[in-house]
Amino acid sequence: MEAKDPFERLKNRILKYTGRFTVPDIARYRKIQGKKAGRCIFIGCTEPIAWEDAQGGNFLCEGHYLTVRRWVEEARSGYL
């Protein structure tokens, strides 16, 4: 059964695609400058990393960064 609360649905979607229980704080992500080793937190993603969280980890590729940002916006507006 799908959750009715948009933020609960967001958490469930993040868990499904990343295996993580917390939603990335996308507002605090920053673009990676230069080369950095790591991989996107999305399961099976092989794209180069482009974004990191405020602690310098939990990497996202460009496409998954945009996806998570859209999901967060949709949850805030109640559309997710």
Side-chain angles (χ1 to χ4, degrees), residues 10-20 42-43 71:
L10 174 60
K11 284 173 53 178
N12 289 341
R13 189 175 283 181
I14 293 294
L15 176 61
K16 178 180 178 181
Y17 291 105
T18 69
R20 296 167 188 256
F42 272 66
I43 296 168
W71 289 349

Side-chain angles (χ1 to χ4, degrees), residues 7-78:
F7 289 102
E8 192 64 32
R9 287 196 300 271
L10 174 60
K11 284 173 53 178
N12 289 341
R13 189 175 283 181
I14 293 294
L15 176 61
K16 178 180 178 181
Y17 291 105
T18 69
R20 296 167 188 256
F21 291 99
T22 58
V23 175
D25 185 0
I26 205 72
R28 298 192 60 181
Y29 266 66
R30 61 186 175 222
K31 191 82 163 156
I32 294 173
Q33 303 298 319
K35 291 276 186 184
K36 191 165 191 174
R39 58 181 293 252
C40 179
I41 63 172
F42 272 66
I43 296 168
C45 182
T46 59
E47 294 296 314
I49 58 172
W51 294 86
E52 64 186 2
D53 67 11
Q55 288 74 42
N58 294 313
F59 305 118
L60 289 168
C61 67
E62 186 68 30
H64 285 129
Y65 169 80
L66 295 173
T67 298
V68 172
R69 193 174 79 182
R70 185 183 78 241
W71 289 349
V72 169
E73 290 170 2
E74 289 172 352
R76 286 185 180 141
S77 63

